[in-house]
């Protein structure tokens, strides 16, 4: 069977399964998730044996140490998968919620009922534990999912897929509700992106090049973000100790992720008192500063920034720094160079906080808190399948609710249009 | 200037204007809408003079009587535009609503704030009054809009566009928030569909061929529906008089629109008592029936249906009729042939009504009411810019709220990630 035929069959099976899983009661979905957690723990040795073959092939192929690390199903990763499944099982089921209901003048009662999206195509790179995370969130939200992972993790993903199918079947749910595409052929990804009659949405997770490839080739709507060029604006009169804490945390807590700060904007009125101390704290943690000319005059430890630094997502211990004369200049900078991901202001000024909140067009706008909070778990969504920086459907981190939509329901007693 | 350059300039201007209109207070947006209503009434003669040139050219070009009718800015259409503007001004402003707010264990207060989508590209056919309707809904919801109407209505659209710009400027709003693309070059539509850095969403309104063209060519997300193949299922034991009313209304009230019934499904247990009477009522109103063999046996006035009739959107006084043995068979038929638009059940049975509501995957599911209610105004959304039968973002009729999204806002007092 060609990759195209394989994908077409998998997607058709997913569409069938989607109808059943959409109306499955929460109890049954939760039972499957809890059973899967147990199966993963019970089959740890077998999973790790399959994974070891992937890892050995990866080493042979010269994968970097970081990639081997992501590929490895360590004891900790396996415990984490089981724990994640139990957490998702404990979350409220979004399906069936009536988000609103009202009565029309003619007596028709109209409401919006939360329903699954249908079939989700999930495309990701090397971490096999993502297979279980994505399956859990899609299943809990009543969706079927077609999983296309990285080729280097195929054996691990297939082993996990077999356990998922077993958990589904033993819970009276259709095994095809979660399917791992069994091929390393890159044509399978392309074929998946063309199945617009069978797949409702594509969610890619991985590096920018994967996501750009998916967005360019897909005929199906894609929920995605390319990058996070996140800003912290330290306003005049800010609490300097708080501003340093927030900037250091935003930059250094985990510099390689999309919600890390990449550019710090400093109001001119506070630059003299704030910048030297903050620069020192950042440099102590190994951050390379790249400053505008006014920054360099105040913090000579910085290197000169060039024009490429303002739109850059460094994903590293590098920070662009710019001194601005006003809140407006800070917001203009963000509008020009930002990626609509995460922006924070550190301020004591009520009116300026409000202007920043309303005027900044990003998926999360924070006042006096670290950019690192842009995460479904941290914001209280319970779990996260990804983040979307296009505005359609869901802007920002996506949890279970964002894997659903609503349909209208109208309850009448014979109403017709006049 | 080429069509591509023109479109690029218009879209860049729209993006600039979008930042300002996004934060404009409701009062100012409403003032612009009310002023525009007055300007349209005051400039009726001038509008009709421009429109007469379009209409004359349309006659010359051999447009059908129906198309000339749609193109004409009659006194009634002009009064309707002004009335529509006043109604939109009276609707609540969705922008700025906090749809939810909660507190995290670390004290961070997290909420979702409703914001405009940004820039909307609206592509439509010959009705010039749509120019004003779309402008009003986009403006009220804080969006900028780029309007690409049919070439036969260009002079009318431009004349309306000038009044809109005047109303915006006199209300201290950016004139570029609403722009009519001033060209009849088809390349302009294609160019618009490629502006994915400047336009957030495309909404097409028109025939299926226009919508398929837009969906195929767009690099920007499209909110659309191709067609409405709507069903009424008359359940066993239904109130026969009610069922006839609902079926006649669903089919005959306005047969040329997307929420008209195209297929009637009848439970076998009620077919003998219901079908002859309903067929008579429908035929009295000029409906041609196309029945399955069991329908023909009971209602010999029907012609035999063929396989093309089940997925057909007749948009005419033609109705496919099928007798089914169960609720499940009806739902399977709908899943196979329907367009996820509008489905109704006529029933007295509580449990079966619930199963139909949950099991039918359409943007509106009705119990004991006409399919003709799938309309933003009828459902109580206040106004409608279109209907979406893809599940992303908004499933079903789209009003002001559906022209917005939400961003996360987090209010802290120094929180950092541990």
């Amino acid at each position: 069977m060609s990759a195209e035929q394989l994908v077409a069959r998998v997607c058709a099976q997913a569409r069938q399964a989607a109808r059943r899983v959409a109306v499955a009661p929460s109890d049954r979905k939760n039972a499957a998730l809890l059973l899967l957690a147990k199966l993963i723990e019970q089959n740890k040795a077998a999973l790790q044996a399959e994974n070891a073959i992937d890892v050995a092939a990866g080493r042979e192929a010269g994968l970097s140490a970081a990639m081997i690390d992501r590929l490895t199903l360590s004891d900790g990763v396996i415990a984490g998968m089981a724990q994640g499944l139990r957490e998702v099982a404990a979350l409220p089921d979004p399906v069936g919620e009536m988000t609103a209901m009202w009565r029309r003048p003619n007596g028709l009662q109209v409401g919006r009922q939360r329903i699954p999206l249908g079939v989700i195509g999930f495309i990701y790179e090397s971490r096999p534990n993502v297979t279980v995370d994505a399956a859990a969130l899609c299943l809990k939200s009543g969706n079927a999912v077609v999983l296309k992972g990285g080729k280097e993790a195929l054996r691990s993903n297939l082993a996990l897929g077999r356990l998922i199918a077993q958990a589904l079947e033993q819970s009276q749910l259709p095994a095809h509700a979660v399917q791992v595409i069994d091929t390393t052929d890159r044509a399978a990804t392309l074929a998946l992106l063309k199945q617009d009659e069978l797949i409702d949405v594509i969610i890619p997770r991985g590096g920018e090049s994967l996501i750009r490839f998916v967005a360019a080739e897909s005929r199906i709507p894609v929920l995605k973000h390319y990058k996070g060029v996140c800003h912290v604006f330290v306003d005049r009169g800010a609490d300097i100790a708080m501003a340093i804490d927030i900037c250091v945390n935003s930059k250094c807590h985990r510099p390689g992720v999309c919600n890390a700060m990449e550019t710090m904007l400093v109001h001119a009125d506070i630059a003299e008192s704030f910048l030297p101390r903050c620069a020192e704290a950042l440099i102590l943690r190994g951050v390379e500063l790249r400053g505008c000319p006014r920054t360099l005059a105040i913090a000579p430890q910085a290197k000169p920034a060039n024009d490429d630094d303002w739109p850059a997502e460094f994903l590293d211990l590098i920070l662009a720094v710019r001194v601005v004369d006003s809140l407006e200049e800070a917001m203009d900078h963000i509008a020009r160079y930002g990626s609509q991901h995460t922006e924070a202001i550190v301020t004591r000024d009520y009116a300026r906080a409000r202007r920043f909140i309303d005027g900044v067009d990003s998926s999360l706008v924070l006042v006096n808190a670290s950019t690192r909070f842009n995460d479904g778990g941290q914001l209280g969504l319970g779990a996260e399948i990804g983040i979307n920086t296009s505005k359609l459907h869901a802007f920002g981190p996506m949890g279970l609710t964002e894997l659903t939509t609503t349909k209208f329901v109208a309850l009448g007693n014979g109403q017709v249009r006049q």
Side-chain angles (χ1 to χ4, degrees), chain A:
Chain A
M1 187 162 26
S2 72
E4 288 78 8
Q5 290 168 324
L6 173 66
V7 166
R9 192 187 64 183
V10 164
C11 293
Q13 288 167 341
R15 171 61 57 197
Q16 285 297 315
R19 272 188 77 192
R20 285 180 56 202
V21 80
V23 294
S26 303
D27 284 354
R28 204 177 292 172
K29 296 186 287 187
N30 292 337
L33 294 171
L34 296 173
L35 175 57
L36 179 57
K38 218 164 71 181
L39 289 174
I40 284 174
E41 289 168 341
Q42 287 169 349
N43 292 275
K44 187 169 95 167
L47 283 172
Q48 289 179 327
E50 288 293 309
N51 181 244
I53 301 172
D54 280 339
V55 169
R59 281 191 213 283
E60 192 103 345
L63 293 190
S64 69
M67 287 186 74
I68 292 291
D69 183 55
R70 286 202 286 269
L71 182 55
T72 304
L73 288 177
S74 66
D75 286 4
V77 171
I78 286 186
M81 285 193 285
Q83 170 67 12
L85 285 163
R86 292 183 177 114
E87 284 171 10
V88 173
L91 290 174
D93 185 342
V95 177
E97 181 196 358
M98 296 298 296
T99 64
M101 199 152 209
W102 57 93
R103 203 175 287 267
R104 297 290 303 152
N106 63 359
L108 197 65
Q109 200 178 4
V110 179
R112 305 186 88 144
Q113 179 169 327
R114 203 168 276 295
I115 57 171
L117 289 171
V119 181
I120 293 165
F122 195 80
I123 299 174
Y124 53 114
E125 292 183 328
S126 56
R127 288 178 196 270
N129 52 310
V130 169
T131 303
V132 170
D133 292 354
L137 292 170
C138 293
L139 176 66
K140 177 81 185 213
S141 53
N143 294 286
V145 62
V146 174
L147 297 156
K148 176 70 182 71
K151 64 176 188 306
E152 60 285 352
L154 184 63
R155 288 186 78 111
S156 310
N157 289 339
L158 288 171
L160 288 164
R162 285 190 294 271
L163 293 183
I164 297 169
Q166 184 183 340
L168 289 167
E169 279 179 344
Q170 291 187 17
S171 310
Q172 281 78 54
L173 289 169
H176 289 151
V178 179
Q179 293 173 88
V180 174
I181 297 181
D182 183 5
T183 176
T184 57
D185 191 340
R186 194 184 170 90
T189 304
L190 269 175
L192 183 63
L193 297 174
K194 305 305 177 201
Q195 293 285 344
D196 54 331
E197 300 286 322
L198 296 172
I199 305 262
D200 294 284
V201 59
I202 295 284
I203 301 179
R205 192 141 98 190
E208 189 175 344
S209 66
L210 172 75
I211 295 171
R212 289 207 178 269
F213 171 78
V214 166
E217 297 294 335
S218 184
R219 271 199 222 134
I220 306 164
V222 179
L223 298 180
K224 60 171 188 296
H225 81 284
Y226 292 127
K227 56 180 185 172
V229 181
C230 306
H231 298 76
V232 176
F233 171 54
V234 179
D235 194 17
R236 69 180 187 209
D239 177 323
I240 287 181
M242 182 195 287
I244 292 171
D245 269 3
I246 287 172
C247 290
V248 168
N249 189 261
S250 296
K251 181 71 247 180
C252 307
H253 184 258
R254 213 173 145 200
V257 295
C258 60
N259 59 16
M261 168 173 65
E262 302 293 12
T263 295
M264 182 169 77
L265 301 169
V266 181
H267 194 288
D269 292 357
I270 202 173
E272 297 267 1
S273 49
F274 166 75
L275 256 184
R277 285 175 58 190
C278 189
E280 194 182 355
L282 289 164
I283 287 167
L284 251 173
R285 286 159 188 267
V287 178
E288 174 188 323
L289 302 178
R290 299 185 182 173
C292 68
R294 294 164 78 181
T295 300
L296 299 181
I298 299 168
Q301 315 98 310
K303 298 179 182 176
N306 65 44
D307 286 350
D308 294 341
D309 289 324
W310 308 120
E313 186 188 34
F314 301 112
L315 296 175
D316 202 350
L317 287 173
I318 301 171
L319 180 68
V321 185
R322 188 171 182 180
V323 174
V324 296
D325 284 314
S326 66
L327 174 61
E328 282 62 41
E329 198 185 323
M331 295 201 296
D332 286 344
H333 181 102
I334 290 167
R336 179 160 176 197
Y337 296 110
S339 58
Q340 304 189 292
H341 194 294
T342 308
E343 264 62 57
I345 184 174
V346 185
T347 191
R348 279 190 172 113
D349 189 302
Y350 167 79
R352 290 162 71 87
R354 286 195 70 203
R355 275 161 61 200
F356 191 84
I357 290 170
D358 285 340
V360 171
D361 191 26
S362 299
S363 77
L364 171 61
V365 185
L366 303 116
V367 180
N368 295 344
S370 166
T371 58
R372 288 280 294 128
F373 286 109
N374 199 353
D375 167 275
Q378 292 294 324
L379 292 175
L381 305 189
E384 176 183 305
I385 195 152
I387 183 164
N388 185 24
T389 56
S390 81
K391 296 217 179 133
L392 268 283
H393 187 67
F395 189 32
M398 297 181 289
L400 287 173
T401 304
E402 289 69 30
L403 292 175
T404 67
T405 187
T406 58
K407 67 180 175 189
F408 287 89
V409 170
L411 307 178
N413 48 1
Q415 281 82 354
V416 296
R417 278 282 288 270
Q418 301 304 322

